[in-house]
Amino acid sequence: MTLNPPPSQQTPHSPRQIPNRRVLIVGNYCHDVLIQNGAVVAETLGGAASFISNVLDSSSVSCDLVSKVGCDFRYEVSHAPIVVPEKETTVFEAYFDLGIDGIGHADRVLKRVTACDPIFPSDIPDSRFDFGMAVGVGGEILPETLEKMVEICDVVAVDIQALIRVFDPVDGAVKLVNLKESGFHHILHRIGFLKASSDEALFMDVEQMKQLCCVVVTNGEKGCRIYNKDEETVVPPFLAKQVDPTGAGDSFLGGLVVGLVEGLDVSDASLLGNLFGSITVEHIGQPKFDLMMLQRVKDEVQRRKKQCNLSSSHKSDHEEFHARLSPARFSCFPSADSPLQPKLLVSGHCCESCDL
């Protein structure tokens, strides 16, 4: 399965020949607060845009980011947000002690405590981009904003949480609505990719959506599935000491787009997504990717591209690529002298890492 972005509408003799910038990320930064037994365990930079830009920046992929925060925004970031003076930064609280699910994992309950302004079409630059990523977490992506993105980006990848999340008017608890009721359904035939977790996929008709765009459904330790027209591909995972899955899906999407930018097909790019997602679940907040690991991944990506260019028979064989990426993945465990991280008690077990 190979992605071929639509060519620019400009002809060789058009008066304006402006090269595309690579990736446009749209979604608000957040303050994430992790709470257990009534006490704050950790406070971190959050928002899908922060995890995704971390992956792209670490992979040397050029990106622009549009995000809104309030004057209370407390983190230093490489992509400056739009500051809305009269608003507060979006805040999410994650409660890990409000219930345990049937398989003994923490049943995390998310609540949006405050919300910054939405991102309007006028906030989006007029430049053209190879890829756009609509990755809101707090309801900041508007239908008209997504419409602007599909106009200026050759391919747009959308995280379904940007479309189907709604928030309880009393306590801000996150709930999901069916995709058809989200107000975005009329735009979806214009996007390239729709990413959803296995839980979120229950709120859409995958059989219908895969006729409109490429659907990628992540499933934690089971890897992910790619649905495109009549094709279905299972992409294997990388082993990880999973504590909290939040942020993993964002890093997955970042890795997927890194692979697509590098020219990999969707299945190989999804392997990169699985790799970055597996690393993220082992860190609190933003993972700092090991430089040696990143270089080994880049080398393997270039090797894979040459392999596929030389022989079409290699294009459907991802086992070797997965096997060669695995040593790079496992070279980046936190070292013994790494700063201690806050510990989260999940189902009676002390977990040494967690991210929101």
Side-chain angles (χ1 to χ4, degrees), residues 251-272:
S251 294
F252 167 86
L253 191 55
L256 170 68
V257 170
V258 166
L260 296 176
V261 168
E262 290 293 338
L264 297 179
D265 70 14
V266 179
S267 298
D268 284 341
S270 295
L271 268 180
L272 282 190

Side-chain angles (χ1 to χ4, degrees), residues 77-192:
V77 290
S78 57
H79 301 275
I82 300 168
V83 179
V84 185
E86 67 277 11
K87 288 284 189 175
E88 295 181 349
T89 301
T90 300
V91 174
F92 277 92
E93 293 179 347
Y95 294 83
F96 284 84
D97 51 2
L98 297 184
I100 301 294
D101 68 18
I103 56 174
H105 293 161
D107 185 13
R108 183 193 60 188
V109 175
L110 280 179
K111 296 184 178 182
R112 188 188 68 178
V113 180
T114 61
C116 198
D117 276 357
I119 298 172
F120 299 105
S122 58
D123 298 317
I124 306 297
D126 290 326
S127 305
R128 289 207 59 83
F129 296 86
D130 294 321
F131 293 91
M133 304 181 72
V135 291
V137 293
E140 66 267 29
I141 303 291
L142 305 174
E144 54 266 35
T145 304
L146 183 56
E147 289 177 343
K148 173 71 176 288
M149 293 182 67
V150 300
E151 290 173 0
I152 66 170
C153 302
D154 287 339
V155 179
V156 175
V158 179
D159 193 322
I160 197 172
Q161 69 181 353
L163 313 183
I164 66 173
R165 277 188 174 184
V166 294
F167 307 92
D168 188 281
V170 177
D171 65 359
V174 176
K175 301 179 181 180
L176 304 178
V177 299
N178 193 280
L179 184 58
K180 290 183 177 180
E181 302 169 1
S182 66
F184 291 88
H185 200 261
H186 65 288
I187 315 171
L188 298 182
H189 67 285
R190 302 176 65 190
I191 70 173

Side-chain angles (χ1 to χ4, degrees), residues 44-334:
T44 66
L45 171 64
S50 67
F51 284 93
I52 290 169
S53 61
N54 183 40
V55 172
L56 268 61
D57 290 342
S58 299
S59 304
S60 303
V61 172
S62 175
C63 63
D64 285 21
L65 190 151
V66 179
S67 176
K68 286 185 175 179
V69 300
C71 287
D72 61 338
F73 186 63
R74 65 184 70 158
Y75 298 99
E76 292 186 7
V77 290
S78 57
H79 301 275
I82 300 168
V83 179
V84 185
E86 67 277 11
K87 288 284 189 175
E88 295 181 349
T89 301
T90 300
V91 174
F92 277 92
E93 293 179 347
Y95 294 83
F96 284 84
D97 51 2
L98 297 184
I100 301 294
D101 68 18
I103 56 174
H105 293 161
D107 185 13
R108 183 193 60 188
V109 175
L110 280 179
K111 296 184 178 182
R112 188 188 68 178
V113 180
T114 61
C116 198
D117 276 357
I119 298 172
F120 299 105
S122 58
D123 298 317
I124 306 297
D126 290 326
S127 305
R128 289 207 59 83
F129 296 86
D130 294 321
F131 293 91
M133 304 181 72
V135 291
V137 293
E140 66 267 29
I141 303 291
L142 305 174
E144 54 266 35
T145 304
L146 183 56
E147 289 177 343
K148 173 71 176 288
M149 293 182 67
V150 300
E151 290 173 0
I152 66 170
C153 302
D154 287 339
V155 179
V156 175
V158 179
D159 193 322
I160 197 172
Q161 69 181 353
L163 313 183
I164 66 173
R165 277 188 174 184
V166 294
F167 307 92
D168 188 281
V170 177
D171 65 359
V174 176
K175 301 179 181 180
L176 304 178
V177 299
N178 193 280
L179 184 58
K180 290 183 177 180
E181 302 169 1
S182 66
F184 291 88
H185 200 261
H186 65 288
I187 315 171
L188 298 182
H189 67 285
R190 302 176 65 190
I191 70 173
F193 294 87
L194 183 65
K195 173 259 173 189
S197 69
S198 56
D199 290 335
E200 292 166 337
L202 300 176
F203 292 83
M204 68 170 163
D205 186 337
V206 174
E207 292 299 314
Q208 179 186 70
M209 282 305 307
K210 72 179 185 179
Q211 301 301 323
L212 302 179
C213 65
C214 181
V215 177
V216 183
V217 178
T218 60
N219 195 14
E221 62 185 13
K222 296 180 180 179
C224 67
R225 287 180 181 267
I226 304 167
Y227 302 89
N228 190 29
K229 304 296 185 183
D230 296 326
E231 297 182 35
E232 180 177 341
T233 306
V234 178
V235 180
F238 292 87
L239 294 177
K241 183 182 177 182
Q242 179 168 298
V243 174
D244 176 32
T246 315
D250 308 323
S251 294
F252 167 86
L253 191 55
L256 170 68
V257 170
V258 166
L260 296 176
V261 168
E262 290 293 338
L264 297 179
D265 70 14
V266 179
S267 298
D268 284 341
S270 295
L271 268 180
L272 282 190
N274 285 346
L275 183 144
F276 281 105
S278 70
I279 297 171
T280 298
V281 299
E282 297 184 337
H283 293 74
I284 188 165
Q286 303 295 309
K288 185 176 181 180
F289 300 111
D290 180 80
L291 292 179
M292 183 178 296
M293 182 276 293
L294 291 170
Q295 186 57 55
R296 291 184 68 177
V297 169
K298 290 177 183 178
D299 291 344
E300 291 303 331
V301 167
Q302 295 307 312
R303 184 180 185 279
R304 177 62 174 167
K305 288 168 60 177
K306 291 180 180 178
Q307 183 185 56
C308 291
N309 288 336
L310 290 174
S311 174
S312 59
S313 63
H314 287 291
K315 292 184 179 181
S316 60
D317 179 13
H318 307 285
E319 293 183 3
E320 182 182 352
F321 187 41
H322 182 275
R324 296 186 69 89
L325 285 175
S326 292
R329 160 69 182 91
F330 293 112
S331 69
C332 63
F333 284 123

